Amino acid sequence: MTDSAHSHLCRYSDEQGFTCDQESNDSGWCYWHDSKIIKDHPTDKEKLQEYARNGGMLRGISLKHANLSGIDLVNHHHKQGFDLSHADFYRADLSNAHMFNTNLEYASLMKADLTEANLHNANLKHCNLLGIKWQSTKIKNIEIGDELTQEIQARKAQGAYDLVLALDLFEQSEEIYRDLRKHAERAGMFKLSGRFIQKELTMRRYQMKKPSFARLISKMVDLFCGYGEEPLKVVNFSIALILFCAILYFFTGINFEGQQYYFDTSLPFTTNLNHFFSCVYYSVVTFTTLGYGDITPIGVSRLIAATEAFTGSFTIALFVVVFVKKMTR
């Protein structure tokens, strides 16, 4: 192909090396990649469907304010959906759109209307999801990744000590997760909504002053029970606390029938091991506040036992609340 022929091709290219082989207009872009052209003509929807079916470059296309209501962008009879990564759908009308299994990685759906759209199995990693209308949108098996684009940008802003920008980006992230959580709840997808509420509250914590008591409490709730969404965290904390206190009892000593049990280098290994298991037993009894009375604390062990008993009663109550919350869903 001659240089003159190359000069008439769309100048779109991205960091992965993808280019567009469509003829360009006077701006140097093809019709679909030209951000200055609003695709709201009555025939644009059919043209875009045909363009996609014919293998046109969909990566990075500009569909800002486009009227694409009811469009079919499903790559029928293929395992992989259409690649619309890096595409711009800002304020686009995608209501009733069919976008099953579509790749929207690094795209922007900011303020797009996805009312009753089908996004099942769509890849939304690093996609801008701010301000989307999610009413009745089908989102089964969507993939949004571990972090939103705003989260990543917020951490970079923190690293650059731009705290005002970081705060704004964390607030945007909270809004996105809140919208997703509400939509997942309406759709009866409670496992997914549980994940979103954890992320929502985490983003809210990042907006709190550091250090502050409110932020500390929020972090503790996250660690202990995942903001009420992870009962296993409560169980793991309980086991860890029981073993930790058992070790403390092993070194500070407990009393059983007038005999003191504690670690003693002069005693055989099997005897020390038996004493340790007795400390584990006492730790379990203390944590659950059963209080059989066969073993009693001595010295510093009294303070440890009092602290463990108080923490244990609180932790058991917390587990019941979290477990019931999960089961009632």
Side-chain angles (χ1 to χ4, degrees), residues 26-97:
D26 293 339
S27 67
W29 303 92
C30 70
Y31 180 79
W32 298 110
H33 284 100
D34 194 337
S35 61
K36 295 183 178 179
I37 300 177
I38 304 300
K39 286 77 175 179
D40 58 356
H41 192 275
T43 62
D44 279 338
K45 181 170 63 177
E46 286 72 23
K47 287 181 179 179
L48 180 57
Q49 290 176 164
E50 183 180 358
Y51 177 71
R53 302 280 181 273
N54 293 334
M57 169 58 69
L58 296 171
R59 292 172 62 97
I61 60 176
S62 178
L63 297 171
K64 295 187 294 184
H65 301 279
N67 182 7
L68 303 173
S69 177
I71 192 170
D72 184 358
L73 287 177
V74 179
N75 196 8
H76 297 283
H77 311 300
H78 293 81
K79 290 184 177 180
Q80 285 189 326
F82 287 125
D83 185 1
L84 284 156
S85 54
H86 301 276
D88 188 356
F89 291 91
Y90 176 74
R91 288 190 180 276
D93 182 359
L94 293 168
S95 57
N96 294 289

Side-chain angles (χ1 to χ4, degrees), residues 268-285:
F269 172 77
T270 54
T271 302
N272 278 319
L273 185 61
N274 181 59
H275 288 180
F276 176 70
F277 285 141
S278 295
C279 291
V280 172
Y281 161 75
Y282 176 68
S283 185
V284 171
V285 171

Side-chain angles (χ1 to χ4, degrees), residues 283-297:
S283 185
V284 171
V285 171
T286 304
F287 180 86
T288 56
T289 64
L290 289 174
Y292 288 131
D294 51 345
I295 299 178
T296 56

Side-chain angles (χ1 to χ4, degrees), residues 52-53 58 61 71-76 78-87 89 94 97-107 109 118-125 127 140-143:
R53 302 280 181 273
L58 296 171
I61 60 176
I71 192 170
D72 184 358
L73 287 177
V74 179
N75 196 8
H76 297 283
H78 293 81
K79 290 184 177 180
Q80 285 189 326
F82 287 125
D83 185 1
L84 284 156
S85 54
H86 301 276
F89 291 91
L94 293 168
H98 300 279
M99 302 176 73
F100 174 83
N101 204 30
T102 304
N103 181 15
L104 292 163
E105 192 170 5
Y106 291 101
L109 288 169
N118 183 354
L119 284 179
H120 286 331
N121 294 85
N123 178 8
L124 301 175
K125 290 182 179 178
C127 182
K140 186 177 180 180
N141 296 326
I142 62 167
E143 179 59 61

Side-chain angles (χ1 to χ4, degrees), residues 83-187:
D83 185 1
L84 284 156
S85 54
H86 301 276
D88 188 356
F89 291 91
Y90 176 74
R91 288 190 180 276
D93 182 359
L94 293 168
S95 57
N96 294 289
H98 300 279
M99 302 176 73
F100 174 83
N101 204 30
T102 304
N103 181 15
L104 292 163
E105 192 170 5
Y106 291 101
S108 175
L109 288 169
M110 185 176 179
K111 298 186 178 181
D113 185 354
L114 293 174
T115 302
E116 296 188 2
N118 183 354
L119 284 179
H120 286 331
N121 294 85
N123 178 8
L124 301 175
K125 290 182 179 178
H126 308 294
C127 182
N128 190 344
L129 305 174
L130 183 65
I132 293 176
K133 295 181 181 179
W134 292 105
Q135 286 81 356
S136 301
T137 309
K138 301 175 180 63
I139 59 171
K140 186 177 180 180
N141 296 326
I142 62 167
E143 179 59 61
I144 68 168
D146 296 327
E147 290 186 315
L148 298 173
T149 296
Q150 284 83 350
E151 284 184 72
I152 298 172
Q153 293 173 346
R155 298 186 191 282
K156 290 181 179 178
Q158 279 185 326
Y161 298 100
D162 190 346
L163 301 183
V164 175
L165 177 59
L167 186 65
D168 179 59
L169 290 167
F170 280 131
E171 188 175 355
Q172 291 181 31
S173 300
E174 180 189 356
E175 179 183 339
I176 293 170
Y177 283 123
R178 180 168 55 249
D179 290 342
L180 284 168
R181 185 255 302 170
K182 289 180 178 179
H183 177 57
E185 287 177 349
R186 288 193 296 266

